Every structure is written in C-alpha cells, then in structure tokens.
Amino acid sequence: MSKSEANVVVFACNWDGLSSVEAVAQAGLSYPASVKVVRVSCLSRLHQGLILKAFELGADGVMLLGCEPGKCQFDTDPALITQECEKARKLMRLLGLKEERLVLTHVPRGDGSHFVGRVTSFIAEIGQMRSAVPGGA
Amino acid sequence: MFDTEREISDTRINLCLDCGKCTVVCPVAQHDPDFNPRLIAQRRLGQNRNIPQDDTIWSCISCYMCTERCNYRVRFPEFIHALRFEALEEGAQLQCTHGGALQAVMHMMARGDLHQDRLGWLPQDVELAEQCDTIFFVGCAPYFDVLFSDLGVDTLDGVKGALRLLNRAHIPFNILANERCCGRDLLLQGDREGFLALARANMEEFARHGVGKIITNCPECHYTLKVDYPKILGSTGIEVVHLTEVIAPLLRSGELRLGMLEKRATYHDPCTLGRCSRIFDEPRQILAAVAGLELVEMEQNREKALCCGASPWVHCGAVNRQIQGQRLAQAGATKADVMVTACPKCQIHLKCAQKSGDGKTTQVEIQDLASVAARSLD
C-alpha cells in the first residue's frame, strides 16, 4: 500500500450501508485497498470504545456508514450513534486528533457509486490534513 | 525490567499462613463465592504449576482491605497484579469495561507525537505560574467527563476546586499541557508495557519542564507518581504530594480559612488515598474547617472503609454493583446530604451504580472534596 493512501476503517451497517459497499463491485467500480470494511448489525451497535480502538490500531480515518434517516431496519433512534460519535469526537479533540477524521455518513440502499465517491473524497480530505500537519493529521 | 518471581516474593505472599482472614474481609468474596484470595495464593504457590489459568484473578478490586487485615501485611493486590501480567503474557484476554474506550485513550496517550488539546476547561480566573517548578497534575478528569457524560459526572469540578484552593493559599503552580495518564489502571490490569510507555512519556515531559514537585487531586495519580514510578523506573527526584497534604496544614496554622456551607456530609475514603497512602485525617480536617458543615461517619470508615467497587476498567459486573449498593446504603444510613470523596473514580463508579441500579440504590449527592471546600469560599 502506498504511503499516500490513508488507512480508513468503514463501519458499515448490515443493511443500506453494507449493500452500498457490495454494490461497488457489481457496478464495476472499485475503492482503494486501504479501506477496510467492518460489518456491524446496526450503527447503534457501535460506541466510542470501538471507534477509538480503530484509531488506536492505526486508522487515519473512520467512517460510519448507515441507513438514511428513517430507514433503519431496527427503528433505532439515530440519536444513539450521533451521541457516541459526538463523544468520540470530543475525546479525539482532547487527544489532539482532528475530529474531521471521523465521519457519519448515510447512503441510499445499494448505491455503490455514492459510497465510492464519499470514501475517496474522505481519503483526499485526510490526505490534505496530513500535508497541512507535518507528521500526520 | 519486570522480574515476576521477585515481584511476587516482594509482596510477602510466601509468608501466607493460609489463615483466610483476607478472604473474610474481602468485599468481593462476600458477594462472589468463587473469589477466594486464600485459595488464589494457595493455587499459585502450590507445587503443581500445570493447573489451568486462574480466571478469578480478574475479580480483585485492589482495595487493600486484605492487606489491612493480614497479620504479615501481605500485599495481595500487588500479587494479583503480577498474576495478571503473567496471564496476559500467556494470552489471556481482558474483558474491558466501557467498550475498551479507556484502554484505547490510555494507549493513544502514550504516543510520542501526541499534542493534546486538554486545557479548554481551565477557568480564566485561575492563576498559573509558568516558570514554577511545581506542577498540578490534572490526571484524566478532562477525559472522564466526556467518557462518562451520560452519568452526569463532573470530575473537573474537583480539579477546578483544587486549583482555586491553591490560588487562595498563594501556592504557585503550573499545569502541563501535554501530561499523560499516570498509567495506574494499565499497571493494575497487568499491561506493563502500556504502563511503561505512559510513565516514560510523563517523565520526559517532567524533565523537559524541570518539574521538582507535583501536587495531585487524584489519589491514584498521587500513589502512582509517588510510589510506582520510583519503584519501576528508579528514583525520579520529584516530590509528590496530595492536595489534602498541602491544604490541611495551612488550615491548622490558620494561614488559610474556608468559608461556610451548611450541609451534613459523610466522607468516603478512597482506597488508594486511605489504605495505600495512609491519608485519613487531612481530608476530614479540611471538611471540619468548613463552617456549618456537619461531618458524620459511615459504618465502615478510615482503615475499614468499603471500596467504591472500582475496577481498573476491566471485569466489572454484578459483584461490583452489589459492593457499590452496599457503600451507598451506608452513606444513606448517615442521613447525609452529600457523600464527599477525594477520588474521581469513586465518583464515577458510585454515580454509575446510582444511575443503573434497580431504583432502590441510595440517591445521595456525590461530590469531590476539593469541590466542596472551594464552594465554601464563594
């Protein structure tokens, strides 16, 4: 893997999130190999610990990929993941990490190109943060 | 650097007479029949070393109640820490609480290229002395208040109170913008490598700023910086004192006066401040110096104080909850308005029990000692 490609961990919900990742290959598209996708049953399964663990293990960025608002298969209140995301961002800020390295994204079901566009622009944003701060974002 | 056998022998565990007094006073053993300090020692020190890994070692809460009772003052919790280190070396997996968030934060704090942004909470009216070789070691309070925001904890209120008290007492101090976690929880859970990384990063930071004296409000930071750092890294040449050791003498001599606060309060001795550091009187002297404050003792206090049921962020479960419920009930029985503690972790654990209890948990207000003392100044 080239040094310029940021390591991104994508936590994808089992439903619209993962379906858009799977649709990438079906649509004949691809995304960089530095993107690692971790399937979770729902984004509400995630908490600040798992998000921070990804950064601890060397992720340059973390993307939380879930269903569009109102389309959750479990009718889960999106406030849960928004709250965990906010807590993780506050901790990242304390640790001197740019909070933009954590994004919460909602994609339409099965939209591979949407996911590819989002993840490549996220990698580019992290690349810019890295070049702005010597030694990494 | 770590010679486990020597360490185990230093805990005096070889003097164990198998009398079982440790087990009788152990708060965990009272609620969990599988946890038996006497048998843990017997199993580890016995001739047959081919026995399976002892899973009960993770239940110890390091409250030092056993050491207090032991005729030979065997330092059983430290024996447990060594066993945990051994277990992790052999591939045991930790059951981290709070999704491992605290471990992740502690490990990330150990990084060399860390540039924390951790002083956003610092009140403008607090005066820092930038060239001073005395520092106030804040600890993990800024992180705790985010991690446990849903419990309504405000451990930074204790830190702010401590800074106001020091300012009022005209004791100059500085704060380091990039101090790390002291590493105590990693040490207690057996993660020696993680502890060393944090300790070395802190020592480098202290050396860079020419630190000669450290004042802490957190009893765990106090004990770790004062006892564990020199023991493991060699002499640090830094004097470490707890806030109560600084404030109480000034109150006795009349150089500092506290204000008025009409409350009935009970003081919860944190294990690390009490049984480990033997600081029992100073916190009580500070509370007694607050006019209008009536101090009442719980059934178990001072050397016999019951632990808050804390764990070093691993293996927290029903037993811990029962201990916390028991301690809160003792506070409730005193009819105190406020339960005062000097440790941010006690505050977190007791508030967690109050929040997630069965509705029968005593809902007494819990506050930091420094917060209470500083509030009386307003």
Side-chain angles (χ1 to χ4, degrees), chain B residues 225-274:
Chain B
L225 295 171
K226 186 173 180 167
V227 180
D228 293 320
Y229 277 28
K231 194 161 108 186
I232 295 167
L233 301 172
S235 173
T236 60
I238 299 175
E239 185 192 356
V240 183
V241 289
H242 189 259
L243 179 82
T244 54
E245 295 177 291
V246 178
I247 299 298
L250 297 176
L251 294 172
R252 281 198 298 269
S253 65
E255 287 169 75
L256 177 69
R257 284 181 191 280
L258 297 180
M260 175 96 173
L261 201 67
E262 285 199 19
K263 293 250 184 205
R264 185 178 165 92
T266 186
Y267 176 67
H268 164 79
D269 291 271
C271 304
T272 317
L273 192 66

Side-chain angles (χ1 to χ4, degrees), chain B residues 352-364:
Chain B
C352 180
Q354 285 182 326
K355 177 115 179 168
S356 48
D358 53 4
K360 293 175 191 154
T361 318
T362 311
Q363 297 295 323
V364 60

Side-chain angles (χ1 to χ4, degrees), chain B residues 216 218-226 240-242 245 277 279:
Chain B
T216 75
C218 172
E220 307 238 324
C221 298
H222 170 252
Y223 188 80
T224 309
L225 295 171
K226 186 173 180 167
V240 183
V241 289
H242 189 259
E245 295 177 291
S277 299
I279 298 177

Side-chain angles (χ1 to χ4, degrees), chain A:
Chain A
M1 187 179 62
S2 85
K3 271 187 183 171
S4 58
E5 270 181 339
N7 280 312
V8 169
V9 172
V10 176
F11 287 107
C13 93
N14 190 40
W15 305 91
D16 296 6
L18 194 70
S19 76
S20 68
V21 176
E22 286 173 339
V24 172
Q26 289 162 11
L29 301 167
S30 66
Y31 54 83
S34 64
V35 176
K36 305 285 183 294
V37 180
V38 180
R39 184 177 72 92
V40 289
S41 53
C42 175
L43 285 192
S44 302
R45 163 69 182 86
L46 289 171
H47 48 68
Q48 51 185 353
L50 280 171
I51 296 169
L52 289 172
K53 186 79 186 171
F55 286 109
E56 183 200 333
L57 295 176
D60 298 306
V62 171
M63 179 183 273
L64 312 178
L65 194 68
C67 304
E68 288 183 310
K71 292 191 175 168
C72 176
Q73 297 287 325
F74 304 102
D75 287 336
T76 314
D77 183 359
L80 270 175
I81 185 60
T82 313
Q83 183 189 323
E84 287 301 308
C85 205
E86 202 39 53
K87 275 158 79 175
R89 284 204 181 108
K90 281 185 187 165
L91 291 167
M92 288 166 68
R93 215 176 302 155
L94 286 168
L95 286 162
L97 301 175
K98 284 198 180 302
E99 54 195 281
E100 291 84 0
R101 289 170 60 178
L102 171 63
V103 291
L104 176 57
T105 307
H106 303 285
V107 284
R109 176 171 299 176
D111 192 344
S113 63
H114 190 115
F115 168 65
V116 171
R118 194 64 201 90
V119 83
T120 44
S121 70
F122 185 41
I123 290 174
E125 282 163 29
I126 296 170
Q128 279 173 1
M129 284 183 234
R130 274 170 153 184
S131 54
V133 184

Side-chain angles (χ1 to χ4, degrees), chain B residues 41-58:
Chain B
Q42 206 183 61
R43 284 196 288 266
R44 173 59 175 77
L45 302 173
Q47 295 304 308
N48 181 10
R49 293 296 312 278
N50 294 323
I51 46 171
Q53 228 169 47
D54 191 341
D55 287 336
T56 67
I57 57 170
W58 303 103

